Amino acid sequence: MTRSLDFGAAFYPEHWPESEWPRDIALMRAAGVTVARLGEFAWSTLEPDEGRYDFAWLDRALDLLAAAGIVSVLGTPTAAPPAWLTQRYPDTLATVDAQGHRDAHGARCHYCVNSPLYHEKSAAIAGAMAEHFGKRPDVIGWQIDNEYNRVCYCATCRAKFQSFVQARFGDLATVNRRWATAYWSQTYQSWDQIAPPAHAVSNPGLVLAWREFVTESYRLFQHEQVTAIRAHVAPEVWITHNFMKWFDAFDHYEMSAELDLASWDWYEPSGWTDRIPSGAMHDLVRGYKRRNFWLMETQPGHVNWSRTNIDLQPGQARAWAWHAIGHGADAVLYWQWRMALNGQEQMHGSLVDQAGEPRPFYAEAQAVGGELAQAREALAGTRVQARVAVLYDFPSRWLIDNQRHHGDFDYVEHLLRAYRALAGRNFTVDVISPDVDLAGYGVVIAPALALFTPERVARLTQFAQHGHLVLGPRTGSRDSAAALWPERPPAGLHALAGCEVEEYIALAEPVRIEGDVSGQADVWAERLKVRAPEAQVLARYSAGNAWLAGQPAIVRRDTTGGSVTTLGGQFDTPTLEIALAPLLALAGIAPVLETPPGVEALRRVGEEGQDVVIVINHTATPQTIPAPAGRVDELTGAATTGALTLGAFGVAVLSAA
Ligand code: GAL
């Protein structure tokens, strides 16, 4: 049977004497834990010296877990190279900046992602672990490394970067032309003159190529471990990596291509008050592979790595877990089960404390574990289905961050404005790459999609024949080498959009817009020029910025079966709600439920079309909403009647009765 709604924690038996393990595992069982994640930092215990493996302790821990009915996910330990390795092979240590400073042993992720020796050692430990543990039926999945994050600038990386640029562009004349290197005498005469970007603002072509190179470096590093593991495990055993929140050092879509499952680690060190960014992050991770994902780590109360590490409020863990599941998570795992007595993370939250006693959070987790068990069957095989997509693009983010033009123009914040206008009203949203098939969507929004390729232009053009396309500001200005397209944005789409951008303005003050859509732009505004007589100006800028006054701010042009709406400004969410409402209506897209702002309604749909609606009160105040008719709450067994009341951080999981 397909697994459904797994629940668990990261468990580090190597931190504790074996005599402690049975008690930990008994508490796991009592909390409803179905899965433990182990091994991802245990290199010095798994391979105490070069080539000498000790897997027996991990077998014993896995045996105890399996006997308690708990399956396991094994991490390869390559985020924590042991002292013998970095001492014997200092070249495996990363060079942490373009000025050449080398990392020191003593933390984690201190490796050079391109070191041939580190590749060899990593593939060897991954392969040895897979050979040893790969046939165990209780090991259902593997995680490669842990939160890739270090970028290295050593001589090896630099040489590989030069080869990467050569393979990408073929000859130096092409590099010089496409990066416009005559500007500031950047002209390259030989490949070895090309160095990683080292300045606050570097040549955009160089910046883009470097990020693509970092992506390719991690992809190859990951690929070697994936290959080493696949050789030994059954086809249904999956391989994942746990990505971080809004992390942008590499392209996560590319990194996910070879993985079977996407997963991520969700933390909110300053407390959690806004469901929109976390909802968008869940949706983005679901978009990495366009299927359900795992929440591989989340916060058991508080973290330890922020300046002030605020706890979740009592009860909030429940809303948190269902929020992830409603957005497509098939598992929720806390980090961590029990903290080590020493080490950098002594102060982190956990379910069990140094004495082996349940902490107060344990009871919260136990309640969540119980609820997941109750809803497990109803949610088996279900997934999120959206007819609205927001396009999230790593290269566009890199290019904008390299030249924000207005310091407050933040790619993620900008995207969240559109996302909030939808998800804030319980529209189900996909957050996906601009390079995937858009068939099936009714509305597609491209916020700040700076990078246009001919393929992207073709895909968006095709979509707009039957769907409603919305182009945000800064869209369609750069090519695949980060050069400006030698025409006005949105390059390649003027005819379709019926307009072009004639100027962009960093706004000192917000400006109002008036027309069919009234509202406000801040930070960024573009003065649009209408190019097609049939295009409609939906809004014009009012007085406030002399360059903008009276000029088109929103233009829409209808196609045979769809439309293109060009948004000239960074609008606030209420303005975007007004702009998007008619498009959603035309596409026949409705929200899951209408709820007050603190209440979220999400839907997962099964293969037979049966759906489960998850309603979450994200506030500490009870909320009452009109109950959807003909439903039964999987958590209480109660049938819905006229009103549905949710207590503080309360949840209802509603199946068809
Ligand atoms: C994550 C990491 C875990 C743990 C956790 C603490 O970023 O993957 O190993 O350190 O943070 O919050």
Side-chain angles (χ1 to χ4, degrees), residues 391 434 438 444-447 449-465 467-472 474-478 485-501 528-532 534-535 555-559 563-567:
L391 305 181
L438 300 176
V444 168
I445 305 173
L449 181 61
L451 197 155
F452 261 21
T453 58
E455 296 74 28
R456 288 182 176 184
V457 168
R459 179 169 289 110
L460 295 176
T461 303
Q462 192 194 7
F463 171 76
Q465 305 313 314
H468 299 279
L469 176 64
V470 180
L471 303 174
R474 306 188 76 151
T475 293
S477 55
R478 307 299 189 87
W485 280 105
E487 63 181 278
R488 288 172 166 180
L493 282 188
H494 297 160
L496 194 71
C499 67
E500 65 188 19
V501 177
L528 303 180
K529 179 171 182 166
V530 174
R531 292 267 304 240
E534 72 278 15
V555 172
R556 173 166 148 191
R557 182 176 167 273
D558 289 339
T559 63
S563 66
V564 182
T565 302
T566 305
L567 305 174

Side-chain angles (χ1 to χ4, degrees), residues 300-318:
H302 62 258
V303 299
N304 70 315
W305 40 262
S306 191
R307 184 171 177 277
T308 307
N309 300 289
I310 306 291
D311 268 284
L312 297 184
Q313 297 181 52
Q316 214 171 12
R318 185 183 183 204

Side-chain angles (χ1 to χ4, degrees), residues 34-216:
T34 63
V35 63
R37 184 177 65 132
L38 306 94
E40 83 274 12
F41 298 111
W43 198 339
S44 67
T45 321
L46 291 164
E47 190 179 359
D49 207 346
E50 190 167 2
R52 180 166 66 80
Y53 297 117
D54 179 2
F55 295 150
W57 64 271
L58 187 49
D59 268 324
R60 292 194 294 277
L62 293 172
D63 287 345
L64 285 178
L65 288 162
I70 297 171
V71 297
S72 294
V73 173
L74 286 187
T76 67
T78 52
W84 60 255
L85 195 154
T86 52
Q87 184 187 45
R88 205 165 294 159
Y89 309 108
D91 283 355
T92 61
L93 286 169
T95 298
V96 294
D97 56 31
Q99 284 66 41
H101 297 115
R102 179 147 282 183
D103 205 355
H105 192 89
R108 56 180 169 176
C109 305
H110 39 284
Y111 61 85
C112 163
V113 65
N114 282 305
S115 154
L117 199 118
Y118 200 65
H119 277 227
E120 185 191 316
K121 296 291 168 206
S122 298
I125 181 81
M129 284 177 73
E131 188 174 4
H132 186 88
F133 300 108
K135 297 286 181 292
R136 292 187 65 113
D138 54 317
V139 176
I140 61 162
W142 291 74
Q143 175 191 301
I144 310 288
D145 204 270
N146 189 83
E147 294 186 344
Y148 307 127
N149 64 71
R150 176 60 54 76
V151 174
C152 177
Y153 297 85
C154 73
T156 303
C157 288
R158 183 183 162 117
K160 283 187 186 282
F161 177 49
Q162 290 157 357
S163 307
F164 176 83
V165 175
Q166 186 168 9
R168 168 102 164 63
F169 293 100
D171 56 67
L172 277 172
T174 305
V175 176
N176 284 322
R177 178 175 54 79
R178 297 204 59 194
W179 293 3
T181 54
Y183 169 82
W184 282 358
S185 279
Q186 293 173 21
T187 312
Y188 297 110
Q189 300 149 296
S190 62
W191 295 105
D192 63 5
Q193 290 170 342
I194 298 178
H199 302 98
V201 180
S202 293
N203 182 306
L206 182 72
V207 169
L208 182 56
W210 174 250
R211 297 294 187 129
E212 289 170 350
F213 168 70
V214 172
T215 303
E216 182 62 1

Side-chain angles (χ1 to χ4, degrees), residues 234-481:
E236 68 273 14
V237 172
W238 47 256
I239 301 178
T240 191
H241 172 76
N242 55 333
F243 294 106
M244 292 189 284
K245 179 166 78 173
W246 302 124
F247 190 63
D248 75 334
F250 46 77
D251 188 322
H252 290 50
Y253 300 115
E254 299 221 358
M255 291 301 298
S256 300
E258 197 179 15
L259 301 172
D260 305 296
L261 175 78
S263 64
W264 81 288
D265 300 343
W266 176 29
Y267 295 98
E268 303 287 350
S270 53
W272 187 52
T273 52
D274 186 0
R275 69 177 165 97
I276 296 300
S278 50
M281 231 352 271
H282 288 313
D283 290 345
L284 173 62
V285 178
R286 196 179 73 246
Y288 291 162
K289 296 212 63 80
R290 307 187 82 187
R291 64 176 90 115
N292 291 3
F293 62 95
W294 273 37
L295 185 58
M296 194 58 96
E297 295 183 9
T298 192
Q299 181 171 328
H302 62 258
V303 299
N304 70 315
W305 40 262
S306 191
R307 184 171 177 277
T308 307
N309 300 289
I310 306 291
D311 268 284
L312 297 184
Q313 297 181 52
Q316 214 171 12
R318 185 183 183 204
W320 187 298
W322 284 106
H323 176 60
I325 293 166
H327 283 271
D330 274 345
V332 174
L333 281 80
Y334 294 105
W335 195 95
Q336 56 180 329
W337 176 254
R338 184 177 181 180
M339 81 287 251
L341 288 178
N342 216 327
Q344 279 92 324
E345 292 174 308
Q346 282 168 309
M347 303 290 291
H348 203 282
S350 60
L351 279 75
V352 166
D353 67 12
Q354 65 278 13
E357 298 291 336
R359 293 170 84 162
F361 187 85
Y362 176 91
E364 298 245 322
Q366 189 173 37
V368 172
E371 289 195 345
L372 266 52
Q374 274 167 285
R376 191 158 281 141
E377 207 179 309
L379 281 155
T382 60
R383 58 190 199 87
V384 177
Q385 281 181 6
R387 293 199 54 237
V388 188
V390 174
L391 305 181
Y392 179 99
D393 185 41
F394 287 91
S396 295
R397 181 174 169 192
W398 301 332
L399 295 180
I400 286 172
D401 276 345
N402 188 47
Q403 288 169 310
R404 284 188 171 202
H405 196 66
H406 188 308
D408 291 340
F409 193 100
D410 180 279
Y411 179 86
V412 172
E413 287 303 318
H414 178 74
L415 179 138
L416 287 177
R417 303 251 184 135
Y419 181 86
R420 188 182 295 277
L422 298 159
R425 298 200 155 187
N426 298 323
F427 286 97
T428 308
V429 184
D430 278 349
V431 180
I432 52 169
S433 159
D435 298 317
V436 300
D437 186 7
L438 300 176
Y441 293 110
V443 175
V444 168
I445 305 173
L449 181 61
L451 197 155
F452 261 21
T453 58
E455 296 74 28
R456 288 182 176 184
V457 168
R459 179 169 289 110
L460 295 176
T461 303
Q462 192 194 7
F463 171 76
Q465 305 313 314
H466 58 85
H468 299 279
L469 176 64
V470 180
L471 303 174
R474 306 188 76 151
T475 293
S477 55
R478 307 299 189 87
D479 73 9
S480 63

Side-chain angles (χ1 to χ4, degrees), residues 399-656:
L399 295 180
I400 286 172
D401 276 345
N402 188 47
Q403 288 169 310
R404 284 188 171 202
H405 196 66
H406 188 308
D408 291 340
F409 193 100
D410 180 279
Y411 179 86
V412 172
E413 287 303 318
H414 178 74
L415 179 138
L416 287 177
R417 303 251 184 135
Y419 181 86
R420 188 182 295 277
L422 298 159
R425 298 200 155 187
N426 298 323
F427 286 97
T428 308
V429 184
D430 278 349
V431 180
I432 52 169
S433 159
D435 298 317
V436 300
D437 186 7
L438 300 176
Y441 293 110
V443 175
V444 168
I445 305 173
L449 181 61
L451 197 155
F452 261 21
T453 58
E455 296 74 28
R456 288 182 176 184
V457 168
R459 179 169 289 110
L460 295 176
T461 303
Q462 192 194 7
F463 171 76
Q465 305 313 314
H466 58 85
H468 299 279
L469 176 64
V470 180
L471 303 174
R474 306 188 76 151
T475 293
S477 55
R478 307 299 189 87
D479 73 9
S480 63
L484 296 170
W485 280 105
E487 63 181 278
R488 288 172 166 180
L493 282 188
H494 297 160
L496 194 71
C499 67
E500 65 188 19
V501 177
E502 50 173 8
E503 191 53 277
Y504 51 87
I505 313 266
L507 292 174
E509 299 291 337
V511 292
R512 298 280 314 161
I513 60 164
E514 306 293 345
D516 292 352
V517 179
S518 294
Q520 181 165 290
D522 58 87
V523 175
W524 191 272
E526 289 169 355
R527 185 165 126 168
L528 303 180
K529 179 171 182 166
V530 174
R531 292 267 304 240
E534 72 278 15
Q536 315 158 53
V537 176
L538 298 186
R540 290 181 185 273
Y541 297 101
S542 26
N545 182 301
W547 291 107
L548 295 169
Q551 300 295 329
I554 303 180
V555 172
R556 173 166 148 191
R557 182 176 167 273
D558 289 339
T559 63
T560 34
S563 66
V564 182
T565 302
T566 305
L567 305 174
Q570 167 163 286
F571 298 120
D572 60 19
T573 294
T575 311
L576 289 167
E577 285 173 354
I578 299 168
L580 294 175
L583 306 177
L584 294 162
L586 279 170
I589 300 171
V592 176
L593 286 179
E594 297 203 4
T595 60
V599 177
E600 180 176 31
L602 300 154
R603 176 186 280 125
R604 289 178 52 151
V605 184
E607 267 165 26
E608 257 86 76
Q610 82 283 11
D611 72 349
V612 178
V613 172
I614 298 170
V615 191
I616 307 166
N617 176 9
H618 287 294
T619 73
T621 314
Q623 306 266 350
T624 300
I625 63 163
R631 301 246 164 198
V632 62
D633 187 348
E634 295 288 335
L635 304 182
T636 61
T640 51
T641 51
L644 179 66
T645 298
L646 301 165
F649 304 112
V651 177
V653 180
L654 305 174
S655 305

